[in-house]
Amino acid sequence: MQHLSAFSLFSALAPEADKRFSGQCSISDFAENELVLDFDDATHDVFLIATGQVRVILRIATGREVILGEMGEGAFFGELAAIDGTRRSANITAMVRTRLIRVPQAVFVEILRESPDVALELMRTMSARIRGLNTRLAEHSFLAAKYRLYSELIRLSRPRKGHDGQRTISPPPVQQDLAERIGCRREVVSREIARLEREQIIERTRGAIVLARMDELNRRLTEGWERGG
């Protein structure tokens, strides 16, 4: 059994407490595209990602879905239901073969009561997530779809090695996924991606999308905020 202290959330656990709490957890393995948790589930355990990657999807009342993002090795999810005892608020699906450490709700709450440092780390992580969600809420409230696309491309990208001022997204996201991330139709994303390519603001390479002219992409995004959509 992997020790909880191997995860940043629980790194402050003392060795004795780490051993005691780790012994009360279990391992769950999931295949690619297998459902881990579904919206409105009544379970309350917390999950740590030992290996693999999961996708978080929010389903709204009309049946539409919005991709909130992905989580990889070392991340955790399920803390909201563990804290307030309500039903699950999102769908979690394994994107690849994934191994999870399942922390029972009672164990999770006991750790928070015993370790203020773990509780503080949890609050820091939740604060970062809330800030990110606030940003996305503002984008959906004030920006037109094409500007939301620009912002999402930047958010998904990483600096491109050996090319100052450029960023890359690898592997390249599926256009339907991009549409679900920003709350619009796939055709809108397809049309705007094609336009950005024609204008050489983005480029397609083998296995990646390159944001070749970050200055122009940022300028257009700023323009979107100034126009209010």
Side-chain angles (χ1 to χ4, degrees):
M1 179 66 197
Q2 186 169 354
H3 283 276
L4 293 178
S5 60
F7 297 87
S8 59
L9 175 61
F10 298 113
S11 61
L13 281 177
E16 182 180 339
D18 183 25
K19 182 178 180 181
R20 173 163 50 93
F21 289 126
S22 296
Q24 300 177 64
C25 300
S26 60
I27 295 174
S28 297
D29 290 313
F30 294 85
E32 182 179 358
N33 296 322
E34 184 175 354
L35 180 68
V36 178
L37 294 172
D38 202 2
F39 176 79
D40 213 32
D41 277 358
T43 59
H44 302 105
D45 297 338
V46 175
F47 293 85
L48 308 170
I49 304 177
T51 60
Q53 188 175 35
V54 302
R55 170 167 286 170
V56 185
I57 299 175
L58 177 66
R59 185 181 305 138
I60 60 178
T62 60
R64 292 183 60 185
E65 296 182 342
V66 177
I67 297 175
L68 295 182
E70 289 79 32
M71 294 182 177
E73 186 174 327
F76 66 90
F77 59 89
E79 73 285 351
L80 295 181
I83 292 171
D84 62 19
T86 58
R87 291 177 177 269
R88 302 292 185 181
S89 59
N91 168 296
I92 308 290
T93 301
M95 298 181 66
V96 296
R97 289 186 60 85
T98 299
R99 169 161 289 189
L100 302 176
I101 308 299
R102 184 189 298 262
V103 184
Q105 179 190 26
V107 174
F108 183 71
V109 172
E110 188 176 355
I111 292 173
L112 296 182
R113 287 173 172 161
E114 286 192 15
S115 178
D117 288 338
V118 172
L120 181 59
E121 181 61 25
L122 174 64
M123 287 189 287
R124 286 173 177 152
T125 302
M126 292 181 71
S127 294
R129 291 179 180 178
I130 290 170
R131 291 178 190 275
L133 288 173
N134 284 344
T135 297
R136 297 188 66 168
L137 176 61
E139 291 173 357
H140 280 263
S141 298
F142 299 112
L143 295 181
K146 67 177 182 179
Y147 297 114
R148 298 201 303 271
L149 175 62
Y150 302 161
S151 184
E152 191 66 22
L153 290 173
I154 294 171
R155 190 158 36 233
L156 291 172
S157 67
R158 296 292 181 270
R160 188 184 186 194
K161 293 182 179 179
H163 296 78
D164 290 342
Q166 294 189 354
R167 298 177 68 86
T168 183
I169 307 172
S170 181
V174 177
Q175 289 186 359
Q176 181 61 41
D177 286 352
L178 282 173
E180 291 178 2
R181 286 175 181 274
I182 64 174
C184 73
R185 293 179 292 108
R186 184 192 62 79
E187 292 78 9
V188 175
V189 171
S190 178
R191 185 168 58 247
E192 189 60 28
I193 288 288
R195 187 165 76 91
L196 292 173
E197 284 189 89
R198 287 196 305 271
E199 297 173 347
Q200 299 182 333
I201 294 172
I202 67 172
E203 300 172 0
R204 292 182 186 272
T205 63
R206 183 166 183 168
I209 291 179
V210 175
L211 310 186
R213 296 174 56 195
M214 281 297 301
D215 55 344
E216 178 60 16
L217 202 57
N218 280 313
R219 187 195 67 77
R220 293 186 184 190
L221 182 56
T222 299
E223 177 184 72
W225 281 112
E226 291 174 347
R227 289 182 175 181

